[in-house]
Structure formats: structure tokens, C-alpha cells
Amino acid sequence: MQNKINNKVGQAPFEWLTIYCAANAVEANIVKGLLINNNIDCQLLGESLQGAVGEIPLEQTQVRVQVFAIKERQARQILVNYTQVQQSAPDWVCPNCNEHNGSTFDFCWSCRTPHND
């Protein structure tokens, strides 16, 4: 998914701006968690539209992650790191319950067994 977001010149420091368009609410909340863990306030837009997939155009159901303009640079660096980890780490299967887990999961989503690298 492409995440090119055009910003206005002279952006006000406390104006919300979209830095990421997630394919779904789960991915958006992962990104939100990464930002919050780095003390960056953020908000999600469009999360409630996920239930309308199929009823409205797909591009309108994307969940947008927004941060204050003053935190854009720091947030984009976190997103670069997130994208690199997402692309390089393989998905894994839980040794306890055999459930398939995404590469960004540190614990099995089903039984909470920690991922052993």
C-alpha cells in the first residue's frame, strides 16, 4: 500500500495531518500503539467505516493515522522502522497451539505464548 501524503507548506504545528493510511483497523491500531509508545499523540480516522466494506468503495474504508504536524518527522521515522521490520520478519507459527501469527506479533494472538526468535 502506498503511503504518500502531501503536506501543506507552512503547516500549523498543532494541526492534525495524515501520515499513514492503513488497510484495516488492526494495522492502524498497531501503528497507533507504536506512536503512543513513543509519546506521540495520534488519532485514527475512518475506523468505524470498516464494517461498510463492500457497501462503499474500498479506498474510503482505509483507516488514516494522524499526528500533530510538529511530530511528523519523529512519527515518519517510526513508520520507516515499522515498514522495514514488517518486510524483513517472517510470519510465525505458535509452538504451543499451532496458530499462525503475523511478523509484528510478539505473543501468539490465540494463547499468548511469547514468540521465541
Side-chain angles (χ1 to χ4, degrees), residues 1-101:
M1 169 163 291
Q2 213 171 29
N3 274 300
K4 290 183 181 176
I5 308 296
N6 295 328
N7 299 326
K8 300 177 206 166
V9 176
Q11 186 93 36
F14 292 102
E15 185 175 330
W16 291 105
L17 71 104
T18 299
I19 61 159
Y20 193 78
C21 292
N24 55 55
V26 173
E27 182 186 23
N29 278 287
I30 289 170
V31 171
K32 179 181 178 181
L34 290 171
L35 295 171
I36 289 172
N37 284 339
N38 285 278
N39 297 316
I40 299 174
D41 290 330
C42 60
Q43 67 180 11
L44 301 180
L45 296 179
E47 190 173 18
S48 62
L49 296 176
Q50 288 289 290
V53 171
E55 300 294 325
I56 60 175
L58 186 61
E59 63 273 358
Q60 291 180 9
T61 63
Q62 292 178 336
V63 183
R64 292 172 286 150
V65 181
Q66 293 191 323
V67 298
F68 287 122
I70 197 168
K71 292 292 188 170
E72 178 186 11
R73 183 176 299 179
Q74 184 181 358
R76 288 203 186 278
Q77 185 58 49
I78 291 166
L79 288 173
V80 165
N81 294 340
Y82 167 72
T83 303
Q84 288 173 346
V85 167
Q86 194 177 31
Q87 291 172 350
S88 65
D91 290 350
W92 58 282
V93 176
C94 177
N96 184 49
C97 70
N98 293 321
E99 191 62 51
H100 182 267
N101 293 279

